[in-house]
Amino acid sequence: TATRAQPGPLGRAGRAGSAALATGGAASAKGPGRPGQLQDETLGVASVPSQWRGVQGIRGETKSCQTAGIATAEASAQARSHADAQVQTEAPVPVSTLPPSRLDTARLAAFLRRVEAMVIRELNKNWQSHAFDGFEVNWTEQQQTVSCLHTLCYPPAQGQGLHVTSISWNTTGSVVACAYGRLDDGDWSTLKSFVCAWNLDRRGLNPRQPSAVVEAPSAVLCLAFHPTQPSHIAGGLYSGEVLVWDMSRPEDPLLWRTGLTDDTHTDPVYQVVWLPEPRQSHRFQVLSVATDGKVLLWQGGGAGRLQLTEGFALVVQQLPRSTKLKKPPRGETEVGATAVAFSSFDPSLFVLGTEGGFPVKCSLAAEEAALTRMPSSVPLRAPAQFTFSPHGGPIYSVSCSPFHRNLFLSAGTDGHVHLYSMLQAQPLISLQLSYKYLFAVRWSPVRPLVFAAASGEGDVRLFDLQKSSQKPTISIKQTEDGSPVYCLEFNSQQTQLLAAGDAKGTVKVWQLSTEFTEQGPRETEDLDQLAAEVAT
């Protein structure tokens, strides 16, 4: 409730009351002309809106906004993040508590009985299929790089300064043998030498101690393991002799030798090859070539002697004039043979490399007599059928393709490798692989377009014609000081292995990457096309 004065006298009474209050109440006394005292009066309720509350309400709203801004979702998210961390600390459910699966054996058995006849029928159909004839599963791991597996040597031979002049793998592919001799200038006919063999499958292989060592009376220039007898090996000497050893008999290894007769070569023997006898394929004879121009076939006989069965001679006057050849000096007629390679498709066809630098296609079936006065117990025949255009120097190595009957490679002192077709004199491809001599070239036994060459610069060049016909795919450093690599051979049984021998007297066995051992698509067709383009 509120007490208020009447509107009429309020102003006057108010002023009089103020005066009375100022004078101590004297103004409240009645008197003439003065109003009486104020009286209380009860009136109705009066409401006055509060401006303070309004102002406070506005402030409250502002404060409420600030409070809502502080209590943001971020603070709430932080609390949830903490809850996630707490969940992570809970122990996982043990695997053992998972319920094991249950098989419905009855339904499974019924299914197997229902499909049994169909599965057997399909298996029989696949068994009779020829889709995978000739396919061999390769269980070996993929090898991406070329690596050196073994470094083999014979210290006594190295102490004499002998070179590794030849390498051969035996028929099982587990034994590698090397010949020690000299290929540089000098008379090495009286220098004792060695043939060493290592069994790479033997436990505890000692790379400095061969499994077998044979002493030879002269420098050994070439080796060839027997095609079926794993321990028999033939060698050609600087003195002109041909010998056959049995490496499994360390006390008495010599089986046969030619001896020094009129039939023996008068010059160093640069290559020997085992050939099956024409009418007895299980028996083999040894063919030897030398720089005296003779190609001789030997057969093991009694008393440890190699008997001469057939002979051929290269004579300048009987060479086919398919290309221009240099005239022989001092009226010589014999042409020195330095290398030989036999065709994989025709057992009577072979190619000879010569000192004059030109390859010669020859045949064992030739019947024309050789025009030579060289002494021989059998009549010598002239084998030459075709002469190819020459290298710039003597040929050291030839190799016939295992995948094409008309293609062969040659390498020589001019640092070039020539790819020839049997059908034309000019080479299909001429590649300069080195600025020094090339001492050996070999086709890969598994890749139709891959070959390797041994360089006088101390490395082995691997060439893939499918990738490039101009430069090697890879160069393997054999010797640190650049000493020549004289020989190399692929392993036809363990096709990832390649052995190379050098002037330091060491043999290194390299493991090839799979790009050099796995045949690519259409590789044989590409080789056929290469040969066809040249022949046209």
Side-chain angles (χ1 to χ4, degrees), residues 334-401:
E334 288 77 23
V335 177
T338 53
V340 63
F342 274 80
S343 169
S344 301
F345 299 87
D346 184 350
S348 66
L349 179 65
F350 63 100
V351 176
L352 288 175
T354 65
E355 286 185 310
F358 50 88
V360 182
K361 181 170 71 172
C362 303
S363 174
L364 293 176
E367 297 181 356
E368 182 181 2
L371 301 177
T372 179
R373 295 182 180 181
M374 290 186 292
S376 175
S377 62
V378 299
L380 300 179
R381 308 196 301 273
Q385 293 182 330
F386 190 81
T387 307
F388 300 89
S389 59
H391 282 258
I395 292 176
Y396 274 138
S397 182
V398 289
S399 179
C400 290
S401 170

Side-chain angles (χ1 to χ4, degrees), residues 256 277 283-286 298-302 304-307 309:
W256 301 296
E277 294 186 15
R283 297 186 60 183
F284 290 84
Q285 49 194 347
V286 181
W298 307 90
Q299 190 176 58
R305 289 290 180 179
L306 285 173
Q307 303 293 332
T309 59

